Amino acid sequence: MTEITAVRGFKDILPDQAWIWRLVEDKARDLARRFGYQELRVPILERTELFARGIGEATDVVEKEMYTFEDRSGDRITLRPEATAGLARAVLEHNLAEGGRPTRLFCLGPMFRYERPQKGRQRQFHQLDVEVFGDPGPYVDAEVVAFLNDFLTELGFDDVSVQLNSLGCPKCRPAFRKRLTDHLLAQKDSLCPDCLRRLGRNPLRVLDCKVEACQAVAASGPEMADFLCLECREHLAGVTGALTDLGLGYSLNGRLVRGLDYYARTAFEVHSDRLGAQSAVAGGGRYDGLCREIGGPDVPGIGFAVGLERVIMALSQTLELRTQRPDYYLAALAPEALGPAFALAQKLRKRGLAVEADWAAGSLKSRLKRADRLGAAKVIMLGPDELANNEATVRDMATKEQSKKPLADF
Ligand code: HAM
């Protein structure tokens, strides 16, 4: 029979990496506390309609990447490809944005997209998602960028670049979209098949196509900045002003568009040189129309998501892999020592110590080798001599010093 392996694009997080995950998640929670963001855990499954309407029917995510199926009662449901739409749903469903005060939230967990797996791209991946509902900005836009920047720099990133753009609003974007579409249509022979397809439904996506010929067409086209209405221009100036006041570096990138349709005004991405082709560590922006799109009132929103695999991939280049190490390894050196060793291990664990053991008696040499491999600080040896005297031999693995200790004193 063939061996069963994990599903393509779904990865195990092995014990020697898990501590880096904890480090990153702890940093996320620490920053959330300092910035006043509360955890909201949304379900992994949502109604398909939430993403179709929230993220947009014409996006790659909704068109090609969702894990969608019918459940046993015939409801169409989807494994969440991102957390923003689910958080917006939860905020509306539980009236969290009422009372005029902004609601600051975060969510950590797995997301699912049926993409072609490659380095830094998986079908199950994890995000830290940070959102603020109910504040039209622009200070709050700068606040989330500062949160993201602190998260990455405190984890040790020294090479991140923040790119920023304004995507305009429903008032000013249509004119840009129209001009861009005209420009693209006039040069459609130079566009790649993907962009030709995008042209009708989502022409803005042509701006961030990686194909050189498409980039050249985009470069000679209109710029969103020239089409922004007064409010959008003032908003962008507010965001850049606040970032500059913080001394936080950014670059304006007029070609930055995002893969999800709900954005308006502020959009940003953070890239790291350490990551290779999939260099986007995080992306986000303002989605003032999202809550209305999914059937709620107008509640403005802004946020971002960091890809944790990408963060951890970059950190793994500088951090050693390691597993947890026990305080004690218990070595039973004769069958009759197994019972007392078992009881002693439990006693020490109740005192908060980390104790490992193998429940088979073995030679001293093999036990010491095992303790060494586990990285135990100390070994407690129980053999016939020790049992006869109601004591144990304790060996310090670093100094190799040994001493006797009465069992009652542990
Ligand atoms: P996104 O740009 O689609 O935005 O994803 C954010 C980050 O998730 C990316 O920058 C990347 O690091 C990571 N990511 C995305 N897809 C994959 C994948 N297949 N494998 C590994 N990592 C991946 C969003 O998801 C928005 N919800 C962000 C947001 C929050 N906007 C406003 N609020």
Side-chain angles (χ1 to χ4, degrees):
M1 260 193 291
T2 48
E3 195 177 309
I4 298 173
T5 55
V7 175
R8 183 164 139 83
F10 288 64
K11 278 200 177 166
D12 299 306
I13 295 167
L14 295 176
D16 62 357
Q17 283 240 332
W19 79 273
I20 307 184
W21 282 82
R22 268 197 309 277
L23 180 96
V24 169
E25 288 160 1
D26 288 349
K27 179 56 77 187
R29 290 179 201 286
D30 174 39
L31 273 158
R33 181 189 60 78
R34 281 147 61 192
F35 277 80
Y37 287 64
Q38 306 207 57
E39 184 168 14
L40 196 165
R41 302 187 191 194
V42 284
I44 284 169
L45 280 173
E46 298 272 4
R47 292 178 201 283
T48 304
E49 197 189 355
L50 172 71
F51 302 118
R53 272 164 54 186
I55 298 173
E57 297 271 11
T59 56
D60 284 354
V61 172
V62 172
E63 250 183 12
K64 317 190 276 207
E65 296 171 1
M66 296 205 303
Y67 281 87
T68 295
F69 54 93
E70 270 187 15
D71 70 9
R72 286 169 193 275
S73 52
D75 289 335
R76 282 182 71 70
I77 50 178
T78 295
L79 285 176
R80 62 184 188 195
E82 56 113 50
T84 312
L87 283 164
R89 180 208 42 77
V91 163
L92 298 176
E93 195 167 331
H94 304 286
N95 299 322
L96 300 183
E98 283 185 352
R101 265 171 291 116
T103 308
R104 292 177 161 79
L105 300 169
F106 78 97
C107 178
L108 277 164
M111 310 293 155
F112 305 85
R113 295 184 194 176
Y114 193 84
E115 294 190 85
R116 196 170 51 77
Q118 62 180 83
K119 192 162 176 260
R121 195 160 75 194
Q122 295 173 201
R123 291 180 174 170
Q124 174 177 308
F125 59 98
H126 297 73
Q127 286 184 342
L128 159 65
D129 190 83
V130 168
E131 313 285 0
V132 186
F133 291 87
D135 185 337
Y139 270 102
V140 73
D141 301 33
E143 177 185 295
V144 296
V145 175
F147 185 129
L148 174 57
N149 183 70
D150 288 357
F151 175 71
L152 294 171
T153 50
E154 289 184 22
L155 281 171
F157 280 81
D158 52 7
D159 65 334
V160 288
S161 61
V162 180
Q163 295 184 20
L164 190 70
N165 194 17
S166 174
L167 300 175
C169 67
K171 225 166 71 184
C172 57
R173 193 160 31 183
F176 171 66
R177 193 182 149 120
K178 167 90 179 55
R179 183 77 68 82
L180 179 67
T181 309
D182 291 346
H183 171 78
L184 297 174
L185 276 172
Q187 306 199 41
K188 72 176 191 312
D189 294 344
S190 312
L191 297 177
C192 74
D194 265 348
C195 283
L196 279 178
R197 210 171 39 79
R198 285 173 184 139
L199 199 61
R201 304 188 69 183
N202 207 352
L204 264 65
R205 289 297 290 172
V206 177
L207 295 181
D208 75 343
C209 179
K210 303 284 177 294
V211 176
E212 228 171 84
C214 301
Q215 285 184 357
V217 174
S220 62
E223 299 250 354
M224 183 69 223
D226 299 329
F227 288 77
L228 294 179
C229 62
L230 179 64
E231 289 91 336
C232 284
R233 263 185 283 141
E234 281 177 357
H235 187 93
L236 180 62
V239 179
T240 54
L243 291 176
T244 306
D245 287 348
L246 288 181
L248 209 156
Y250 63 87
S251 54
L252 287 174
N253 175 0
R255 311 243 162 269
L256 176 81
V257 289
R258 305 262 308 123
L260 314 158
D261 269 0
Y262 47 57
Y263 293 111
R265 294 194 169 154
T266 311
F268 56 93
E269 278 183 2
V270 172
H271 292 257
S272 163
D273 294 337
R274 285 194 247 172
L275 288 175
Q278 299 301 317
S279 68
V281 193
R286 181 163 277 285
Y287 45 86
D288 292 349
L290 173 62
C291 287
R292 176 159 287 253
E293 201 61 57
I294 62 171
D298 261 331
V299 179
I302 170 99
F304 66 83
V306 199
L308 299 188
E309 274 77 9
R310 295 187 190 173
V311 168
I312 283 154
M313 204 165 80
L315 289 182
S316 307
Q317 295 167 8
T318 48
L319 295 171
E320 50 156 335
L321 300 180
R322 60 166 131 101
T323 46
Q324 60 199 29
R325 291 156 180 259
D327 300 310
Y328 285 110
Y329 178 77
L330 254 163
L333 304 176
E336 64 272 26
L338 279 171
F342 195 75
L344 181 55
Q346 200 56 6
K347 184 175 168 189
L348 293 171
R349 288 172 184 144
K350 284 205 190 300
R351 283 182 33 211
L353 295 160
V355 184
E356 291 193 39
D358 293 288
W359 302 122
S363 72
L364 178 61
K365 198 172 156 208
S366 73
R367 297 294 102 162
L368 287 180
K369 215 162 135 189
R370 173 96 172 115
D372 196 44
R373 189 160 314 144
L374 289 170
K378 288 180 178 165
V379 178
I380 300 177
M381 294 177 266
L382 277 177
D385 293 348
E386 283 88 356
L387 285 181
N389 296 322
N390 262 329
E391 59 184 18
T393 304
V394 182
R395 178 184 175 93
D396 186 308
M397 291 299 278
T399 62
K400 300 197 168 47
E401 269 167 31
Q402 294 196 175
S403 58
K404 304 271 189 210
K405 188 168 170 175
L407 285 177
D409 290 359
F410 278 97

